[in-house]
Amino acid sequence: IMFPFLVVVSISLREGNFSTGSLLPERPTLEHWFLAFGLPFTRADGTVVPPPYPVMWWLFNSVKVGLIASFGIVIISTISAYAFSRVKFAGRSWLLDGLFIMQMFPTTLALIALYSIFDGLGEVSPILGIDSQWSVILVYLSWVTLHIWTLKGYFDSVDPAMDKAAQIDGATPWQTFRYVFLPLAVPMIAVVFVLSFIGIINDYPIASVLLRSQENLTIAVGSRFYLNEKEYLWGDFSAAAILSGLPITIVFIIAQRYLVSGLTEGSVKG
């Protein structure tokens, strides 16, 4: 499992931009890492190599889009899941069936329609048009369908007696959700957040269709410029690829204590 990762690390430390060579570079260099961090690198012969692409800016875009969309997914899916689990209203079963059917079809199947929709919206409001990160965020918010079902399964497993106890104490439905169910669901919410964040950071099809200018690209889309018709910058590409995993690693470490209990509860109760 670790071998492909070690190969990528090895390529990022080799001289030149070659995909083949020894796993242990004969003359390791940090040139590709300097360029990935946006710093010029001076070679032994005095040649100064400028960064070819704004990798750190792309990484910032990815984190920004990922955090905003993931928080939005968590808020929408948590409130919706509680409503579907605990509130009885007309059309509830139809909506649940609709969500179930929607999650069977990946968003990539609607890329042409999405492009047409946001192209038209851009004529009215540029902030929701093509080459806008807010357009991409809105598409990512559609991923709530799966997570609504995940959280609903958890809320369904909570003893109904807790609702009755809260009502006896005079709590409103919102107070019951805020002070009783929400604290209990924190581990599962952490799982939803991390899974959403990972999916958004790694997404290529949606961002590649809706984003155009270099300053708006995410790192998954921007990295394609390293492999173009004229040259394949494998060393620079490898360093950028490793950097792209840094936000996911940080988020995973922060949420680790919640993830273990959340996955366990999901497997038992969900």
Side-chain angles (χ1 to χ4, degrees):
I1 296 176
M2 290 296 296
F3 184 73
F5 176 74
L6 294 176
V7 172
V8 174
V9 173
S10 174
I11 295 174
S12 71
L13 296 175
R14 296 174 189 167
E15 287 186 324
N17 281 284
F18 304 103
S19 60
T20 58
S22 173
L23 186 62
L24 296 176
E26 296 180 2
R27 289 178 292 183
T29 177
L30 294 177
E31 175 180 342
H32 307 304
W33 286 95
F34 269 73
L35 300 181
F37 279 105
L39 302 173
F41 182 82
T42 304
R43 293 175 178 170
D45 60 0
T47 304
V48 178
V49 183
Y53 301 109
V55 176
M56 296 305 295
W57 184 253
W58 291 341
L59 187 62
F60 171 75
N61 287 340
S62 295
V63 173
K64 178 177 66 175
V65 170
L67 289 177
I68 294 175
S70 296
F71 275 116
I73 289 173
V74 164
I75 293 171
I76 296 173
S77 58
T78 303
I79 296 175
S80 301
Y82 176 77
F84 281 122
S85 176
R86 286 311 205 247
V87 180
K88 308 299 181 184
F89 56 89
R92 175 172 168 271
S93 60
W94 286 95
L95 286 174
L96 281 173
D97 291 341
L99 290 175
F100 183 75
I101 294 173
M102 285 174 60
Q103 70 181 5
M104 294 181 181
F105 302 94
T107 311
T108 50
L109 294 179
L111 284 179
I112 297 177
L114 290 172
Y115 182 89
S116 177
I117 291 171
F118 287 109
D119 187 40
L121 285 174
E123 297 179 1
V124 180
S125 176
I127 197 174
L128 293 178
I130 300 298
D131 199 29
S132 170
Q133 293 174 357
W134 288 105
S135 301
V136 179
I137 291 172
L138 282 179
V139 177
Y140 289 147
L141 290 178
S142 66
W143 294 1
V144 297
T145 53
L146 173 62
H147 301 302
I148 288 175
W149 272 96
T150 302
L151 289 168
K152 178 185 177 298
Y154 177 78
F155 287 136
D156 287 344
S157 68
V158 178
D159 192 342
M162 299 191 70
D163 299 70
K164 296 180 181 179
Q167 291 176 2
I168 293 174
D169 290 337
T172 63
W174 171 253
Q175 290 173 327
T176 302
F177 167 72
R178 170 65 180 82
Y179 297 106
V180 178
F181 283 85
L182 195 59
L184 291 174
V186 167
M188 287 300 298
I189 290 174
V191 172
V192 169
F193 179 86
V194 172
L195 292 178
S196 301
F197 188 77
I198 292 175
I200 292 169
I201 291 291
N202 292 331
D203 175 70
Y204 176 85
I206 296 172
S208 66
V209 169
L210 297 181
L211 298 179
R212 287 287 181 268
S213 57
Q214 278 200 18
E215 62 269 19
N216 286 332
L217 298 181
T218 59
I219 193 166
V221 180
S223 297
R224 69 183 178 184
F225 288 107
Y226 286 114
L227 310 176
N228 52 63
E229 297 178 357
K230 297 182 179 179
E231 56 185 352
Y232 284 3
L233 304 176
W234 287 111
D236 297 339
F237 176 82
S238 298
I242 296 173
L243 275 180
S244 68
L246 186 60
I248 296 175
T249 303
I250 294 174
V251 168
F252 184 84
I253 292 174
I254 294 174
Q256 186 175 14
R257 66 191 184 99
Y258 298 107
L259 290 176
V260 176
S261 57
L263 290 172
T264 303
E265 291 175 0
S267 63
V268 175
K269 294 183 180 181

